[in-house]
Amino acid sequence: MQSRTPAGRTGRPRSAAADAAILEATRQALVELGWSKLTLGDVATRAGVAKTTLYRRWAGKNELVVDAVAELFDELELPDRGSLANDIEGVVLQFAAILDRPEARSGLMAAVAESTRDDALRERIRASIVDRQKRLVLEGRARAQCRGELPSEPDPEEAARTVDLIFDMVAGAVVHRTLMSGKPADEAWVRDFTRVLLLGLASQSPETP
Amino acid sequence: MQSRTPAGRTGRPRSAAADAAILEATRQALVELGWSKLTLGDVATRAGVAKTTLYRRWAGKNELVVDAVAELFDELELPDRGSLANDIEGVVLQFAAILDRPEARSGLMAAVAESTRDDALRERIRASIVDRQKRLVLEGRARAQCRGELPSEPDPEEAARTVDLIFDMVAGAVVHRTLMSGKPADEAWVRDFTRVLLLGLASQSPETP
DNA sequence: AGCTTTCGCTACGACTCGTAGCGTAATGCC
DNA sequence: GGCATTACGCTACGAGTCGTAGCGAAAGCT
């Protein structure tokens, strides 16, 4: 993930336990200190490794935090709950639960802030976090089309645009609700949100009247 | 804004020109350096003031950047374009234009990240940035109800929830599109987004079937 | 005038950064 | 077993930033 497990055959291999300890220590430090007060020296001490070991594996604070936060999104799943509405509500509640964790809030937002001036970091976030979420939208949409809950889209380009739109609307609304408005994305809110979104998607017309 | 213009009548007054120069220098430094590499000493030099002057007015980097970024949102307006759809498209495009500026992207996101561990900072962001945007939603909704484009909501509590929901959906989608997906919120996207949102809002039923 | 507050400047200890060097530990290959 | 190779822990280092203190000068008010 963060560095080539160099397939170089000879020599002492890198400790996988150290990787796990460092990422866990990073999340713990994010909770206690937040992004700006987090130092790599402190993370190394918490993880029980030398500071130099940390620098050998990650280029800097940005990359380390992205990897540490990305693991939080591994648990995202899309179980079949029978209807598109239930599927959406389920995954949105999962997403909201992750954003409830302090290490996800400060880590993700700070990384995104830095990525506005670092293309490599932006790509890293996209590959390890954003795309993983987006896949759920793709899967849920396909499942809904099989059920006949959503119209099938013949044009692949148009379909991709629609998926992008849905993804930004869902994830954006949850993030904004949680971080900007500072209110919980609880079941009542998720129900209201899902209703508005689905009504908008179900009654899609090819063009505005 | 950032410090009491102390109403204490006597003594040398604080230079308003220094305030403007500092905030402008902060935005410029955000563009060139980004959040993490921005130092208050550098901002002071750019603004032509002493570093101590900066510390006398702002508590730290967080507060300074919030004030500097908040000014960018002053230009948000809601001209009457004749229909709710046009009103929404107009204000979303304005919002997207602001988020196109590098100082808004990195500054706002970094401040939000820090606000997850600083309640006072969160409140500052809410008062000087978020609430100002939310007022536009309130105004646009009232205008649409006068036109008959949206059903009027008798219950004030329910109305407040709906306004919150719309606000998070609009602002969240634009922010996510711009910063997470890394794609422009151009006219084509805004048109698609507005259509889905309005269809969802227009066909509102009191309860899910 | 006299009083009050701000301003620019300098200096300061404390902290973090990222790197270099060294000796040691763990593996693969012969 | 011995050897080459790589990772590890540790220490030390110059550079840079932080936030504050102290000083004399400047700018307003009465």
Side-chain angles (χ1 to χ4, degrees):
Chain A
M1 186 84 72
Q2 75 288 359
S3 61
R4 316 280 154 250
T5 317
R9 37 245 150 270
T10 174
R12 176 179 178 176
R14 288 191 171 173
S15 161
D19 265 31
I22 291 173
L23 293 175
E24 176 58 32
T26 303
R27 287 186 287 267
Q28 182 185 342
L30 274 176
V31 173
E32 297 182 13
L33 305 173
W35 163 272
S36 60
K37 295 183 180 176
L38 179 147
T39 68
L40 296 195
D42 183 57
V43 170
T45 303
R46 289 172 189 263
V49 302
K51 192 173 61 165
T52 43
T53 298
L54 224 159
Y55 277 103
R56 287 188 190 105
R57 306 192 183 194
W58 282 276
K61 199 204 274 196
N62 295 336
E63 291 77 10
L64 173 62
V65 169
V66 169
D67 286 358
V69 173
E71 288 190 338
L72 297 176
F73 292 90
D74 284 347
E75 62 194 49
L76 274 179
E77 290 177 1
L78 188 62
D80 192 330
R81 294 167 179 265
S83 72
L84 176 56
N86 287 339
D87 283 359
I88 292 181
E89 291 185 8
V91 75
V92 166
L93 283 175
Q94 284 183 59
F95 190 44
I98 295 178
L99 286 183
D100 234 21
R101 307 176 65 167
E103 63 269 36
R105 299 160 97 103
S106 54
L108 180 60
M109 285 300 102
V112 169
E114 291 302 312
S115 77
T116 61
R117 301 200 42 78
D118 185 340
D119 289 337
L121 184 63
R122 174 199 297 275
E123 180 60 24
R124 193 187 196 91
I125 295 175
R126 195 192 60 73
S128 62
I129 299 181
V130 178
D131 275 0
R132 202 169 307 181
Q133 303 168 7
K134 198 168 169 181
R135 211 167 290 145
L136 298 182
V137 177
L138 221 60
E139 187 179 338
R141 178 178 165 85
R143 193 182 289 167
Q145 286 175 337
C146 285
R147 293 199 197 97
E149 295 177 295
L150 283 181
S152 78
E153 183 64 65
D155 183 5
E157 187 190 348
E158 180 77 17
R161 278 174 47 193
T162 302
V163 169
D164 284 352
L165 176 61
I166 296 174
F167 175 53
D168 288 326
M169 288 184 73
V170 174
V174 178
V175 171
H176 200 275
R177 165 84 175 178
T178 306
L179 298 183
M180 293 289 200
S181 298
K183 299 175 182 177
D186 52 18
E187 293 194 13
W189 182 85
V190 171
R191 208 178 322 121
D192 288 347
F193 167 74
T194 304
R195 190 179 67 220
V196 171
L197 180 67
L198 282 188
L199 287 175
L201 293 178
S203 52
Q204 278 202 90
S205 57
E207 271 310 311
T208 42
Chain B
M1 185 85 72
Q2 75 290 358
S3 61
R4 316 282 155 248
T5 317
R9 37 235 151 276
T10 173
R12 175 178 177 175
R14 288 191 170 171
S15 161
D19 264 31
I22 291 172
L23 293 175
E24 176 57 33
T26 303
R27 288 187 286 268
Q28 181 185 342
L30 273 177
V31 174
E32 296 182 13
L33 305 173
W35 163 271
S36 59
K37 294 184 180 176
L38 179 148
T39 69
L40 296 195
D42 183 58
V43 170
T45 303
R46 290 172 188 263
V49 302
K51 191 173 61 163
T52 43
T53 298
L54 222 160
Y55 276 102
R56 287 189 191 103
R57 307 193 183 191
W58 282 276
K61 201 204 268 197
N62 295 336
E63 291 76 9
L64 173 63
V65 169
V66 169
D67 286 358
V69 172
E71 288 190 338
L72 297 177
F73 292 90
D74 285 346
E75 62 194 49
L76 273 179
E77 290 177 2
L78 188 62
D80 192 331
R81 292 168 179 266
S83 73
L84 176 56
N86 287 339
D87 283 0
I88 293 181
E89 292 186 8
V91 74
V92 165
L93 284 175
Q94 284 183 58
F95 191 44
I98 295 178
L99 286 182
D100 233 21
R101 306 174 66 166
E103 63 269 35
R105 300 161 96 103
S106 55
L108 180 61
M109 285 299 104
V112 169
E114 292 301 313
S115 76
T116 62
R117 302 201 38 80
D118 184 341
D119 289 337
L121 184 63
R122 174 199 296 277
E123 180 60 24
R124 194 188 195 90
I125 294 176
R126 195 193 60 74
S128 62
I129 298 181
V130 178
D131 275 0
R132 202 167 308 181
Q133 303 168 8
K134 198 168 168 180
R135 210 166 292 147
L136 298 182
V137 176
L138 222 60
E139 186 179 339
R141 178 178 165 85
R143 193 182 290 168
Q145 286 175 337
C146 285
R147 292 199 197 97
E149 295 176 292
L150 283 181
S152 77
E153 184 64 64
D155 183 4
E157 187 189 348
E158 181 76 18
R161 280 175 45 196
T162 302
V163 169
D164 284 353
L165 176 62
I166 297 174
F167 176 52
D168 287 326
M169 287 184 73
V170 174
V174 177
V175 171
H176 200 276
R177 165 84 177 179
T178 306
L179 298 184
M180 295 286 199
S181 298
K183 298 175 182 176
D186 51 19
E187 293 194 13
W189 181 86
V190 171
R191 210 178 320 122
D192 288 347
F193 167 75
T194 304
R195 191 179 65 219
V196 172
L197 180 68
L198 282 189
L199 288 174
L201 292 178
S203 53
Q204 277 201 91
S205 58
E207 272 309 311
T208 42

